[in-house]
Amino acid sequence: MNQPAAPSTTSPTVILTGDRPTGPLHLGHYVGSLRGRVQYQHDYKQFVMLADSQALTDNMDDIDKVHRNVVEVALDYLAVGIDPAKTTIFIQSQIPELAELTFYYLNLVTVARLERNPTVKQEIVLRGFERDIPAGFLTYPASQAADITAFKAQVVPVGEDQIPMIEQTNEIVRRFNRTYNQEILVECKALVPEIGRLPGTDGKAKMSKSLGNTINLGASADEIRAAVKKVYTDPLHLRVEDPGHLEGNVAFIYLDAFDNDKASLAEMKAHYQRGGLGDSIVKKRLDAVLQELLAPIRARREELAKDKGYVMQVLKEGTMRAREVAARTTDEVKSALGLNYF
Amino acid sequence: MNQPAAPSTTSPTVILTGDRPTGPLHLGHYVGSLRGRVQYQHDYKQFVMLADSQALTDNMDDIDKVHRNVVEVALDYLAVGIDPAKTTIFIQSQIPELAELTFYYLNLVTVARLERNPTVKQEIVLRGFERDIPAGFLTYPASQAADITAFKAQVVPVGEDQIPMIEQTNEIVRRFNRTYNQEILVECKALVPEIGRLPGTDGKAKMSKSLGNTINLGASADEIRAAVKKVYTDPLHLRVEDPGHLEGNVAFIYLDAFDNDKASLAEMKAHYQRGGLGDSIVKKRLDAVLQELLAPIRARREELAKDKGYVMQVLKEGTMRAREVAARTTDEVKSALGLNYF
């Protein structure tokens, strides 16, 4: 694991993460980021952003989805144990300073550089934009740089594929500090989680709402059971007595991710590989593990969903705290640019 | 002249103009825009923007120039008679809502559309950017749309070459209103001034600081005299008795623009064309006309320059007034986008 520098006792290391609120979060998010955040909040000064503005870059025609999911994702955060007393949870669009910083950073990056950004290139293909790329989509690395630098984040947990975005941010940071001869902005490090992306229940590389291969954090016991039943295993493992394979076997990949009894799991794997262990036994174990993991999350989520006022209060307070920090940075940036008059 | 619609008595027509504060204003600005503004302020609700953020799009390496010229241009405004009691003069960068609107409008315009914008294309060539176009420069039509729509401007005085920018704004307006099914943003009309661009003193098509062919509004009597002496006339008019030509003759173009005694000017033109009238006589008249025009402007400018506190107070109050209007529009836009939570 690409460990961030140990936080100093005087000023804790700042970590920024977030999600595009376009749907409820699922096990993939839990493994890829949420579980980490619950840990990080003890050691770092953690900001978690509900990136509603960024979600709009390709959802201008479905704004209700974005608005609705801000609350859904906040419920997921609180349900998994992100503690608003330790972590600042905020809504991107409610911090105008992030748009202001984006505006100025756009002058520090060329069109050609944005077009070369591998993450942007990949996303353009993925979303089928071709020539009709919204300008806000091409320029979102500048927006991401604004989000990161506004909080002077030193650590940003990202997937492997997002590393070019971090490089882009650091280029802007260096160019700004060099041009204005002040150490105002702070470079950040990508923190790539040890466990890579969780595959979908169907065995596809990515768990994704649009592929219908997710298990949501708020899934009911029945939904979990049904999803586990359909989990992709070893298509060559036709008879119980046949040797089974672990590679690409989603049941075992999930067990690796969520089953804490590693010794017993190792035994089960060996048995499966030898032959004589049916998929139904493996899935029964997986079901038990996931039910145990998700039951308390679901219960907290349901409890919190009854008190939307509390959730909104958490978001409001977090956003106010975050805005103070972002406003301070924006003042420094604008002063460096000579944009202070009164 | 492309007259704007007569203002209604209930809510006056809103007009927005402005300048990039990259140098003191000159006679070209006076003819092309300032003179009009002094008139418009009686009939319209006029906003005049010191576009410092926009000036940064290609001056990130010379921010002092921009900062300094905000005050210089404000002095020019007040000296020519733009009245802060009638006109709202404001500084673009001090209204974060303009950056916010830009941010959202970037999602309503494609990269291909920006690249096709004739004004942007021309400016890219003019400034020698080629492949190293700052993203903020490519996207400045979205920023201009933000400036115009924030104040719900209905009329925008622009040169012929800026008409595509107005079209771009109106495309964004229509797309926004149609997508969110509300008449929030207002389409605007370009107001192209009757008298086109004033040529430089050297006869070049454009009066421009970088070409050294300007007469600044704050020019001293000596500077005016020296500039008039060098004004380009008719290179074929070598002897007094020769017939002179008026086409491209800057002395006469300036007299057309500034000499109010049209009858006597017509006589002088006829005499010049017949032959027997030396350039020095024409220039003497031009000098007298310009001295008379600029003496009171210079005097007011010098007076105001002694009280920078007053100028800053004018800008502060104007910016506060403008910000209230822009904030109202931004609230409407963000509500339409579902970006209201608290």
Side-chain angles (χ1 to χ4, degrees), chain B residues 46-269:
Chain B
Q46 179 167 258
F47 292 88
V48 176
M49 178 173 76
L50 289 154
D52 60 341
S53 308
Q54 202 203 100
L56 284 187
T57 56
D58 57 337
N59 284 287
M60 286 298 266
D61 294 332
D62 198 358
I63 56 170
D64 288 343
K65 180 174 79 178
V66 175
H67 186 96
R68 200 172 56 242
N69 279 300
V70 163
V71 180
E72 292 301 315
V73 172
L75 283 172
D76 288 329
Y77 287 167
L78 299 173
V80 298
I82 294 179
D83 177 356
K86 294 196 169 70
T87 293
T88 302
I89 306 173
F90 68 96
I91 305 178
Q92 185 185 26
S93 70
Q94 303 307 298
I95 304 192
E97 288 79 6
L98 300 177
E100 265 194 289
L101 289 177
T102 304
F103 186 94
Y104 296 113
Y105 293 171
L106 284 175
N107 297 329
L108 294 172
V109 57
T110 66
V111 175
R113 177 66 184 87
L114 290 171
E115 285 172 345
R116 275 200 315 272
N117 186 309
T119 314
V120 173
K121 271 163 101 167
Q122 194 187 335
E123 295 272 344
I124 283 169
V125 174
L126 206 69
R127 288 163 211 270
F129 281 140
E130 288 162 24
R131 286 308 294 159
D132 286 339
I133 310 158
F137 198 82
L138 179 69
T139 58
Y140 90 84
S143 163
Q144 209 150 35
D147 301 334
I148 293 171
T149 58
F151 303 100
K152 304 197 174 185
Q154 295 144 288
V155 176
V156 182
V158 290
E160 200 82 49
D161 56 336
Q162 294 285 316
I163 290 179
M165 302 298 280
I166 301 297
E167 285 167 7
Q168 179 91 73
T169 291
N170 285 338
E171 275 176 37
I172 290 173
V173 166
R174 286 191 294 267
R175 176 146 182 219
F176 185 93
N177 288 347
R178 195 177 58 233
T179 306
Y180 305 106
N181 204 24
Q182 294 178 65
E183 290 297 310
I184 291 174
L185 302 181
V186 175
E187 285 194 58
C188 62
K189 280 197 176 62
L191 174 63
V192 180
E194 199 179 357
I195 297 181
R197 192 172 267 170
L198 205 65
T201 53
D202 57 358
K204 292 222 171 79
K206 196 180 172 182
M207 190 175 266
S208 153
K209 184 168 39 77
S210 58
L211 298 173
N213 62 3
T214 66
I215 297 175
N216 289 342
L217 296 178
S220 69
D222 285 348
E223 286 168 338
I224 297 168
R225 202 168 303 120
V228 167
K229 211 169 262 173
K230 290 193 295 177
V231 147
Y232 181 86
T233 55
D234 173 5
L236 302 174
H237 187 236
L238 299 174
R239 293 175 309 177
V240 172
E241 56 268 35
D242 288 341
H245 298 86
L246 302 180
E247 303 77 42
N249 187 318
V250 175
F252 281 103
I253 294 172
Y254 285 8
L255 281 168
D256 274 335
F258 301 112
D259 193 334
N260 294 321
D261 187 349
K262 300 299 174 198
S264 144
L265 177 59
E267 267 176 47
M268 186 180 242
K269 283 179 181 175

